[in-house]
Amino acid sequence: MTALADHDSIRAVQWRGDVLRLLDQRRLPAEESWLECRTAAHVRDAIADLVVRGAPAIGIAAAWGVVLAAQTGEALTPVLEHLRAARPTAVNLMWALDRMRARIEAGADAEALQREAQVIQDEDLAANHRMGALGAALIDAGSGVLTHCNTGSLATAGYGTALGVIRAGVAEGRIERVFAGETRPWLQGARLTMWELVHDGIPAKLIADSAAAHLMRSGQVQWVVIGADRIAANGDVANKIGSYQLAIAARHHGVKFMVVAPSTTVDMATPSGEAIEIEMRDPNELLSIAGVRTVIDGASAWNPVFDVTPASLIDAIVTERGVIERPDAERMRAMFDPS
Ligand SMILES: CSC[C@H]1O[C@H](OP(=O)(O)O)[C@H](O)[C@@H]1O
């Protein structure tokens, strides 16, 4: 398979000097519509409501939210706290805001903060291309891969993390079969990853989340390749709900398990996955699809939207700094905290 389109043409987060344009991911693939944020509060709401989502993308959007506040002379400390509280699991949000806070405390004005936000965005794009090459190199020619949720241009500054590895692996002729899990309940895989893959001309098959173990047993996939929202100091990984059971099934079937994330997703201050806060979202996201209720009135639901995969079930963590095979606390420290 050869990719036909320009991978970098999808830009979900667009800075326009005094307004942040966000591709409204709640409406894809049916509608490509844009939300214009002119205040930090608009950006905070867009992150909380999943207009923009994906760990790196929400950090980048929050950084631009700080710029909007600085341009209008808002008090920045409450703005930082308001943006930080938008979603709890993806550490990229906190990392980006800490980086902006450091610049504010160093006396940066709106112009300097705008330059910082642009650097954060540009660094993420560069990291994605480097991770694409590093991750693809782990995949033998003729392989099939399964991915989960959306980790592409919609979730990052462009190109993607796990989906970047898939783009690179297809372009290099290493990956012959691509499967994407629908990713209930928000359907990031069905609605977003398939949209990106069709946009790029990369043939892929959507599967029901419940078909994943059967697919692995069929021998059509050699790798599961996913993103991350927070990687703890011992290599445990918080990612979209359903990742953990993919890792269990993959280990059972001898399928390798790769996590792809920029170093801005690594949180060496969090010792293990047990300490990662898992976002709980509105149960109604489970009780209806596309606004159509699918469950009898009076029913309730439990809707954690992330889970934790222990490092012991992960074969490789790929970041722009390099690959950690069979991650553990010592190997994480060697790469991220060598002091
Ligand atoms: C490169 S995106 C990382 C991560 O973010 C997604 O979560 P959400 O769609 O709720 O923001 C998913 O867990 C991806 O793997």
Side-chain angles (χ1 to χ4, degrees), residues 217-273:
R217 188 177 182 199
S218 75
Q220 296 180 78
V221 297
Q222 284 61 50
W223 282 89
V224 173
V225 183
I226 66 167
D229 289 82
R230 192 180 299 233
I231 303 174
N234 70 343
D236 291 350
V237 169
N239 195 56
K240 184 51 49 194
I241 192 78
S243 302
Y244 175 39
Q245 62 196 31
L246 289 176
I248 293 167
R251 184 56 54 89
H252 178 76
H253 289 289
V255 172
K256 294 282 187 72
F257 197 83
M258 183 192 305
V259 174
V260 187
S263 56
T264 51
T265 308
V266 173
D267 177 10
M268 294 303 283
T270 294
S272 75

Side-chain angles (χ1 to χ4, degrees), residues 50 53-56 87 148-152 155-156 161 188 226-229 239-240 305-306:
L50 306 192
R53 34 66 45 200
R87 292 184 76 188
H148 187 60
C149 197
N150 172 258
T151 60
T156 65
T161 59
Q188 289 94 329
I226 66 167
D229 289 82
N239 195 56
K240 184 51 49 194
V305 293
F306 296 103

Side-chain angles (χ1 to χ4, degrees), residues 113-171:
L113 291 173
Q114 183 170 227
R115 289 193 295 273
E116 189 69 17
Q118 189 62 55
V119 167
I120 289 172
Q121 184 165 305
D122 294 346
E123 284 177 349
D124 186 64
L125 183 59
N128 293 342
H129 282 282
R130 175 151 172 71
M131 292 188 293
L134 290 171
L138 301 176
I139 299 173
D140 292 337
S143 292
V145 301
L146 167 63
T147 194
H148 187 60
C149 197
N150 172 258
T151 60
S153 296
L154 292 171
T156 65
Y159 197 68
T161 59
L163 204 54
V165 168
I166 289 171
R167 287 180 157 124
V170 167

Side-chain angles (χ1 to χ4, degrees), residues 6-333:
D6 162 25
H7 303 319
D8 281 350
S9 58
I10 303 170
R11 282 285 188 278
V13 179
Q14 297 185 0
W15 176 248
R16 286 288 191 271
D18 61 355
V19 65
L20 182 66
R21 300 181 76 242
L22 300 174
L23 180 56
D24 190 340
Q25 299 186 37
R26 299 172 301 183
R27 303 188 186 287
L28 288 174
E31 187 187 335
E32 292 184 27
S33 63
W34 294 81
L35 202 73
E36 296 204 340
C37 298
R38 298 182 183 281
T39 67
H42 287 164
V43 176
R44 182 260 166 222
D45 292 348
I47 293 170
D49 297 342
L50 306 192
V51 169
V52 58
R53 34 66 45 200
I58 64 178
I60 293 164
W64 289 120
V66 175
V67 177
L68 287 171
Q71 288 180 336
T72 54
E74 273 189 84
L76 296 181
T77 298
V79 163
L80 290 164
E81 288 161 10
H82 198 49
L83 285 164
R84 194 181 190 91
R87 292 184 76 188
T89 306
V91 72
N92 312 63
L93 175 61
M94 295 77 186
W95 174 86
L97 291 170
D98 288 346
R99 177 117 161 223
M100 297 301 278
R101 178 194 298 274
R103 300 290 287 119
I104 292 165
E105 289 170 354
D109 62 8
E111 274 306 304
L113 291 173
Q114 183 170 227
R115 289 193 295 273
E116 189 69 17
Q118 189 62 55
V119 167
I120 289 172
Q121 184 165 305
D122 294 346
E123 284 177 349
D124 186 64
L125 183 59
N128 293 342
H129 282 282
R130 175 151 172 71
M131 292 188 293
L134 290 171
L138 301 176
I139 299 173
D140 292 337
S143 292
V145 301
L146 167 63
T147 194
H148 187 60
C149 197
N150 172 258
T151 60
S153 296
L154 292 171
T156 65
Y159 197 68
T161 59
L163 204 54
V165 168
I166 289 171
R167 287 180 157 124
V170 167
E172 294 173 19
R174 292 172 177 270
I175 295 174
E176 286 194 359
R177 296 171 302 284
V178 178
F179 297 88
E182 60 183 349
T183 317
R184 287 268 301 145
W186 216 71
L187 300 178
Q188 289 94 329
R191 297 188 305 105
L192 307 179
T193 294
M194 293 305 290
W195 183 79
E196 289 203 40
L197 290 168
V198 169
H199 173 277
D200 278 13
I202 295 176
K205 286 187 170 57
L206 179 70
I207 66 164
D209 296 323
S210 47
H214 182 60
L215 172 67
M216 294 182 205
R217 188 177 182 199
S218 75
Q220 296 180 78
V221 297
Q222 284 61 50
W223 282 89
V224 173
V225 183
I226 66 167
D229 289 82
R230 192 180 299 233
I231 303 174
N234 70 343
D236 291 350
V237 169
N239 195 56
K240 184 51 49 194
I241 192 78
S243 302
Y244 175 39
Q245 62 196 31
L246 289 176
I248 293 167
R251 184 56 54 89
H252 178 76
H253 289 289
V255 172
K256 294 282 187 72
F257 197 83
M258 183 192 305
V259 174
V260 187
S263 56
T264 51
T265 308
V266 173
D267 177 10
M268 294 303 283
T270 294
S272 75
E274 299 305 315
I276 299 174
E277 183 180 348
I278 299 297
E279 181 182 1
M280 302 298 292
R281 291 187 68 87
D282 182 351
N284 286 311
E285 291 182 355
L286 260 173
L287 299 173
S288 59
I289 294 181
V292 177
R293 188 161 174 107
T294 52
V295 180
I296 186 169
D297 288 344
S300 64
W302 184 59
N303 188 23
V305 293
F306 296 103
D307 58 25
V308 173
T309 298
S312 59
L313 291 177
I314 298 169
D315 293 287
I317 292 179
V318 177
T319 78
E320 77 281 10
R321 296 190 192 181
V323 178
I324 299 178
E325 298 198 67
R326 297 184 309 286
D328 61 17
E330 185 181 345
R331 293 185 174 113
M332 288 292 292
R333 208 169 23 252

